[in-house]
Amino acid sequence: ILQTNSIIFYVYHCSKTNPVPWRGQGQGPEAWWKRPIATRGALRGIQAQSCPSENGEVLKTKAGKVAINIIGMQHAVTIQNATDDDAGVYTCEVANQEDCKTSTNVKVIGKPLATSKDEVILDCELSKDVPVLWYHNEMEVTASKMIVMRAEGTRRALVLRKVEDKDKGKYVCDCGTDKTSANLNIEEPPEIQLDVKLLAGLTARAGTKIELPADVKGKPDPRVKWTKADLVLRGDDRITIDTQPGHSKLSIGNTTRGDTATYIIENAAGKKSATVVVLVLSEPGENSRTCTLNIVIILQNTIVLPAKMKGIPAPTAKWMSDGKEIASEGRFKIESDESSTTLSIPECLRGDTGEYILTVSNPAGSKTVALHVTVLDVPGPPIGPINILEVTPDHMIVQWRAPKDDGGTPITNYVVEKKDVKKPWEPWSVVSSGGISTTAKVSRLEKGREYIVRVRAENKIGIGAGLESPPTIAKHMFNPPGPPGLPECSDITENAVTVEWTLPDYDGGSPISGYVIERREMTGKWIRVNKTPVLDLRYRVSGLFEGNTYEFRVFAENIAGISEPSPISDPVKASRAITKPGPPGNPKLKDWSKSYSLM
């Protein structure tokens, strides 16, 4: 049952001797409905017993939520606006009849929801493998470049690539004898657009009022919050936050030096954010002799570092970075007069991150202020190489190291993707994208196929460049063994022979699990002798035909597969064994004379 829908049960009381429902035969017996009592920490709607009425609570009528109706032999209960708390096993018991009860299990799920341009997979499972038809808003769905239909065993899936607003609505999977459906809602990803004057930051005098307006778009209307130093701002006597559909504005009155910070407006639903750097300047003389300010700015914006100067005679300004004086040339522009100085760096780069020191001086003395500038960018690529810790025919485990440069803000996630080397036209398939672990399991591989794994780091600015692994075949990390030694035959009879061989020179890195023996008549086809591999280095081959000549060969086997065949044995002929005759026994004298005797 989808959330907010209604759950309705109908039960007809039947005679044990006559299974026909007692409809129209007068009022039915007294009955009641029970449902399990939810326990904190347990999985909702999942109980160990199939009908746990003895531990349940009796349902009672509740306006706007639970309705119980009895019409003749029909008992019905309706639960409106279903939520997760309504999931569970419901039992109907008849009074004074211990064995007369029935139950059903109800699961409550959320409504399918997707964001515009997402890939959506509608998945269902059949009781048996039959063809299905898909419908969208009662119109049959056909496969296309953006719509893929999948069938794996009894599972059926409809894949919608880059969904748009036109894709929302009711989807039905119809197998002919039954059908299931789901309603798909499409969100529009949120957008935040700052006033163009705020992109390079905002500078204000202490004691004045600052306003930070922003346009906010999205469907549904996004929720917005303003933060400063990772703390959510709340309205007070100085701070006012005015958020209306499509717009939000942060106002701070009577500003002080403490209001110098980076302010972030964030859409909580879609995690879209925009950053405004605010610098509040105090009157000369209010500062200590040396102070440090932190400035954060996004890549490709213009760094503007303004400062007011006051003194008699008028002071001069000197800007320095990395121990060297900055000259107004190339990408750096310095504008100074008797009362102010400004350092500008257009289209800033990640390498512009650092400490900029301004020293103003005249014959009476000097003052210094340090401004630490952080230019935010996407992270660099992870440090390679990608190590393959484990590989099997269906998965591999990979490991990498964090990037040298996190882009100026902590890494929030690693995007791990895979691609079949033999299918370069296919897009990268995302394996995982939810965590900061530098180890990942790449699953759902096909045995024998060659894959490349790509890892990219992500921070709040975006996803950085990727690091790719060398092509890796989905197979065990070890190989099949080498062939066994030359088979030798002994103890030959008219219908059997004993075959012996030696160990292979190489076991492939995995213990040998057995040997397979084959035989053939001269120039005939090879026939396997043993049904299951043998562990010994000898095997008695029976079932031979007397007078026929045979050859034998042996294969070794481990978990990775079977070896090449051994050399072919010398031909042997199935025949009775030839032995020396024994001594004569029980001699008897039949006749004799002087010259001879007959035995």
Side-chain angles (χ1 to χ4, degrees), residues 358-371:
L358 169 63
T359 301
V360 294
S361 59
N362 63 11
S366 65
K367 285 189 177 181
T368 299
V369 61
L371 298 97

Side-chain angles (χ1 to χ4, degrees), residues 242-259:
D242 180 19
T243 299
Q244 304 291 337
H247 186 77
S248 183
K249 181 172 70 174
L250 171 65
S251 302
I252 303 177
N254 192 24
T255 56
T256 66
R257 287 293 300 276
D259 295 321

Side-chain angles (χ1 to χ4, degrees), residues 131-161:
V132 300
L133 294 176
W134 289 91
Y135 296 89
H136 174 215
N137 294 334
E138 300 183 352
M139 298 291 291
E140 183 176 349
V141 178
T142 56
S144 65
K145 183 178 180 180
M146 305 305 292
I147 299 176
V148 179
M149 298 179 185
R150 296 176 179 170
E152 296 180 2
T154 58
R155 298 189 70 85
R156 300 293 183 269
L158 181 67
V159 182
L160 307 176
R161 294 175 175 169

Side-chain angles (χ1 to χ4, degrees), residues 488-508:
E488 295 183 359
C489 300
S490 62
D491 195 9
I492 303 169
T493 68
E494 69 275 13
N495 59 3
V497 63
T498 298
V499 181
E500 298 182 61
W501 58 91
T502 57
L503 287 169
D505 294 333
Y506 171 60
D507 64 3

